[in-house]
Amino acid sequence: STMFLVGLSGGIASGKSTVVAVLRELGCAVIDADVIARQVVQPHSKAHQQILQHFGTEILLENGEINREALGNIIFSQPEKRQLLNSITHPEILKEMLKQVLNYFVLGYRYVILDIPLLFETRGLTRFMKYTVLVYCDPPTQLVRLMKRSGLGVAEAEARIRAQLPLDEKRKWATHVIDNSGDWESTRRQVLQLHARLEDSLHFLWARLAVGTAVAGLGGLVFLLIRHFIS
């Protein structure tokens, strides 16, 4: 069997969640890095304990979970704190993503979509993707959507957008672009076209694996893949 990876990203208020919803409706395998990021910092987890050691208990909610808004305010203005947090959470996120990728591989999926918000900012994972997809919308539309969604003023919304790599810059790196500047039907048509193209693709990232190796050496394979991704 063959399978390849597709990296999906966007920008704040560009409409990535809309595209993911259509992909899930089509039965695509989607791994959400944001969901995993929340899972790996649950109370009593390794990452949770390390975060408390470095950021203190003032970032906790009453139920013991991490207050993402409070933590976000800290790392937003302090790049060194952001790097520290990434060094704690990224290895745990990658481990869980690899587990899910292997699960979809065993189930025989044609391709797996990795929904990674900062895919183009970090650039580290793009080398493992056969294709990269950007959910794009024009800057004025992005600003209006963010203000409407979050209740922010113009200056605050513009600051949030500037904190990310511009969508026009990300567009240069993407192999496929879904323009979400228009209505829902237009976006849906583009997603359907992309899905059909991916289903017909003969390219793949993962090498063919012998059934005996996949069964007998699955544990060793997971270990090697984790080391390869993290290194």
Side-chain angles (χ1 to χ4, degrees):
S1 61
T2 62
M3 187 182 74
F4 57 90
L5 303 181
V6 179
L8 175 69
S9 194
I12 187 170
S14 70
K16 182 166 60 65
S17 59
T18 299
V19 171
V20 169
V22 178
L23 290 167
R24 291 190 186 277
E25 177 189 325
L26 293 170
C28 297
V30 181
I31 298 176
D32 190 328
D34 261 353
V35 170
I36 294 175
R38 291 184 178 91
Q39 293 173 345
V40 301
V41 297
Q42 288 299 302
H44 309 299
S45 67
K46 176 183 176 182
H48 185 275
Q49 294 172 0
Q50 291 179 331
I51 290 171
L52 291 187
Q53 289 174 6
H54 292 284
F55 292 89
T57 56
E58 59 270 18
I59 63 167
L60 289 181
L61 297 170
E62 291 184 2
N63 62 3
E65 294 184 1
I66 291 174
N67 185 329
R68 290 170 59 87
E69 183 177 356
L71 185 57
N73 289 335
I74 294 173
I75 66 173
F76 182 76
S77 57
Q78 302 181 58
E80 69 282 359
K81 294 287 188 179
R82 186 184 309 122
Q83 292 176 2
L84 173 60
L85 180 64
N86 289 343
S87 70
I88 294 171
T89 59
H90 283 186
E92 300 303 313
I93 294 170
L94 288 174
K95 289 178 188 177
E96 181 58 32
M97 289 175 67
L98 281 167
K99 289 179 185 177
Q100 294 189 27
V101 167
L102 287 171
N103 181 59
Y104 284 125
F105 176 82
V106 172
L107 292 175
Y109 276 79
R110 184 84 176 94
Y111 65 92
V112 175
I113 297 170
L114 300 181
D115 178 359
I116 305 175
L118 298 180
L119 177 66
F120 295 104
E121 280 87 347
T122 57
R123 300 288 297 162
L125 288 176
T126 55
R127 56 182 170 167
F128 297 103
M129 311 298 167
K130 180 59 191 177
Y131 303 108
T132 53
V133 181
L134 173 68
V135 181
Y136 175 88
C137 70
D138 59 75
T141 301
Q142 183 184 21
L143 179 62
V144 170
R145 286 177 178 171
L146 179 57
M147 293 171 61
K148 183 177 179 180
R149 185 185 75 182
S150 304
L152 298 172
V154 175
E156 292 176 303
E158 288 178 339
R160 295 286 180 91
I161 293 173
R162 285 197 303 269
Q164 297 184 345
L165 190 67
L167 287 173
D168 285 325
E169 184 68 23
K170 295 181 182 182
R171 193 168 190 164
K172 300 175 184 177
W173 298 103
T175 57
H176 296 81
V177 175
I178 294 176
D179 192 335
N180 190 39
S181 303
D183 57 23
W184 182 81
E185 283 297 335
S186 172
T187 299
R188 179 179 173 81
R189 282 195 300 271
Q190 294 176 68
V191 177
L192 293 175
Q193 292 170 357
L194 173 65
H195 176 60
R197 193 174 305 141
L198 293 174
E199 283 290 313
D200 290 339
S201 174
L202 296 178
H203 298 289
F204 58 92
L205 172 63
W206 296 90
R208 294 177 180 272
L209 298 179
V211 175
T213 302
V215 174
L218 187 57
L221 178 62
V222 172
F223 176 75
L224 289 174
L225 287 173
I226 290 173
R227 287 195 60 185
H228 184 56
F229 267 70
I230 294 176
S231 61

